[in-house]
Amino acid sequence: MIKQAIIPLAGLGTRLLPLTSVFAKELLPINGKPGIEYILDECINSGIKEIIFIISKKKEMIKKYFYNDKFYKEIIKKKKDKRIINEYKKILKYKKMVKFVYQNKPLGTGDAVLKTKKLIKEKYFLMLLPDDLIIKKNCSNSMIKIHNKYKSSVIASMTVNKNSVSRWGIFKLKKRLDKNNSLIEDVIEKPLIKKAPSNKAVIGRYILPKKIFNKLSKQKPGKGGEIHITDAIQKLIHENEKFIAHNFSGMYLDCGTMNGYIKSSLEISKL
Ligand code: UTP
C-alpha cells in the first residue's frame, strides 16, 4: 500500500519572478486557495497518511503556514468567526500529516528526493511536484490503483507538442498494457527534438521504489548541472525495474510559469 507522499518545495521559482522574490510560489493563491492545498487534498483523497515536505531555509514560510496556531487562536477568541474556525481546522488536519525535511541548496529534484531517505518506510512512495496541478480527476488515486494492479512503479504521462519535447522528461515506450498504461523502455531528461524517442512527457506524479535512494546517493549532476530524478529512474529502468507510464485523464495545469499560473485560476473557477 502507498501510504507516504513526498513533495519537493525547495526550488527557487525563478519563472514566477517577481511573485517569488519574497514569497513561496506554492502558497500563491489559485482561485482563492494556496496551490499547495490542492496537492494536499489530492494526497488525502487518495489514501495517503503521511506527507513529507522538502523545503529550504528560504522557504520556511511554508512551515509557518501550518504552524501559525497562536495567531489563529487569538483571532478566533476575538472574532468567533465560523469561516476562520473552519479554515483553522483544515490547517490542523494538514499539520497532523505533514513532516518537514530541508534541502538548503537547490541541487535538483533528485537531490531533494534523497533528503527523505531516512523517513520512507514502505517499498514504494508517491511523489508529487506541486507546480503540476491536475484537476477534474485525482491522478494520484488512479496511479495508486495501477500500482496495486501491476506491483510496479508508475509515472504520470501526457502527450505534448513535438516542438516542446526539450522542455520535458520524455518516454520511450515498450509495450501497451491497456488503454492508458504502457511499460516504459527508457526515459530521457529534456532531449533535443531530433533525439526525442516520442512526444510522451513525464508529468509531476510518480510512484517510486525505495531502491531509488541507492541510485540517487551515487548520482552525478546531469543536464543544466542538476541532479535530476529522471536520471535515477533511467538507471533503474536499465536494470530492468518495471516502470509504467500512466496516461492520466484529468486536466493538466502548469503553475510553474506565469501564463500557466494565471490560466490555473481561470480553469478552477469554471469547476
Ligand atoms: P522546477 O525546477 O520545475 O522548479 O522544480 P523551480 O526550481 O522551483 O522553479 P524555476 O524553474 O526556478 O522557475 C520542480 C519542483 O521541484 C522542486 C521545486 O520546488 C518544484 O516544486 N525542487 C527543484 C526542489 O525541491 N529542489 C531542487 O533542487 C529543485
Side-chain angles (χ1 to χ4, degrees):
M1 289 303 260
I2 309 281
K3 292 288 166 216
Q4 289 179 298
I6 69 168
I7 307 182
L9 300 148
L12 299 175
T14 53
R15 287 167 299 161
L16 284 183
L17 282 168
L19 302 184
T20 45
S21 94
V22 292
F23 207 75
K25 67 176 165 186
E26 299 79 8
L27 294 178
L28 288 171
I30 297 176
N31 197 41
K33 169 165 142 174
I36 191 66
E37 291 195 10
Y38 293 94
I39 303 289
L40 286 171
D41 291 343
E42 180 178 330
C43 289
I44 294 168
N45 294 331
S46 53
I48 294 294
K49 302 291 177 216
E50 184 179 86
I51 301 159
I52 302 162
F53 279 14
I54 303 128
I55 60 165
S56 64
K57 286 217 176 78
K58 281 198 189 115
K59 295 185 85 173
E60 264 181 334
M61 71 160 64
I62 296 175
K63 191 167 181 187
K64 177 92 193 271
Y65 183 75
F66 297 94
Y67 280 80
N68 218 4
D69 302 71
K70 193 165 168 261
F71 173 78
Y72 272 104
K73 281 179 185 158
E74 278 169 12
I75 299 280
I76 289 168
K77 211 158 118 192
K78 266 192 228 143
K79 289 185 83 172
K80 305 202 168 30
D81 181 315
K82 198 117 197 257
R83 191 190 71 84
I84 301 175
I85 294 169
N86 285 336
E87 287 296 327
Y88 182 46
K89 277 189 188 155
K90 188 180 69 182
I91 299 282
L92 287 176
K93 180 183 81 178
Y94 292 144
K95 186 168 86 167
K96 263 196 201 155
M97 309 180 70
V98 179
K99 281 189 178 161
F100 294 85
V101 296
Y102 283 79
Q103 182 206 26
N104 284 327
K105 278 194 197 142
L107 300 177
T109 46
D111 181 67
V113 173
L114 188 57
K115 304 293 178 201
T116 66
K117 184 178 175 183
K118 286 192 184 139
L119 296 176
I120 298 296
K121 297 178 199 126
E122 310 284 335
K123 228 172 138 188
Y124 290 90
F125 60 96
L126 173 70
M127 170 164 82
L128 305 93
L129 297 184
D131 287 354
D132 291 353
L133 211 55
I134 298 172
I135 57 169
K136 298 189 181 179
K137 183 106 202 262
N138 188 323
C139 180
S140 296
N141 201 25
S142 309
M143 286 172 55
I144 289 172
K145 283 189 188 143
I146 302 300
H147 165 79
N148 291 342
K149 183 171 171 190
Y150 293 102
K151 305 279 171 281
S152 70
S153 301
V154 186
I155 307 177
S157 160
M158 185 177 79
T159 306
V160 297
N161 190 310
K162 287 197 171 89
N163 297 323
S164 75
V165 286
S166 42
R167 280 179 40 207
W168 309 84
I170 296 289
F171 295 119
K172 180 175 185 188
L173 299 176
K174 186 155 49 181
K175 185 177 141 203
R176 206 166 142 150
L177 297 170
D178 56 52
K179 190 166 154 262
N180 293 316
N181 301 290
S182 300
L183 267 184
I184 300 169
E185 186 169 319
D186 205 357
V187 64
I188 301 152
E189 182 66 20
K190 301 187 176 73
L192 294 172
I193 295 179
K194 56 179 185 211
K195 288 203 173 153
S198 76
N199 59 339
K200 308 280 181 213
V202 174
I203 300 298
R205 300 288 182 278
Y206 308 70
I207 292 175
L208 296 170
K210 201 176 170 176
K211 59 170 88 150
I212 198 144
F213 294 118
N214 300 336
K215 296 284 166 258
L216 287 170
S217 57
K218 292 176 218 140
Q219 198 174 305
K220 300 263 161 13
K223 291 230 167 80
E226 285 189 38
I227 298 174
H228 297 284
I229 191 68
T230 319
D231 294 340
I233 293 171
Q234 187 187 48
K235 284 215 182 80
L236 287 177
I237 293 173
H238 290 178
E239 288 174 10
N240 291 325
E241 182 74 20
K242 196 161 120 191
F243 274 77
I244 292 173
H246 172 63
N247 187 11
F248 61 92
S249 44
M251 178 193 262
Y252 168 70
L253 300 166
D254 177 8
C255 302
T257 64
M258 196 58 89
N259 280 341
Y261 170 64
I262 292 165
K263 187 178 164 208
S264 62
S265 282
L266 295 174
E267 288 298 337
I268 290 176
S269 72
K270 290 188 215 157
L271 293 179

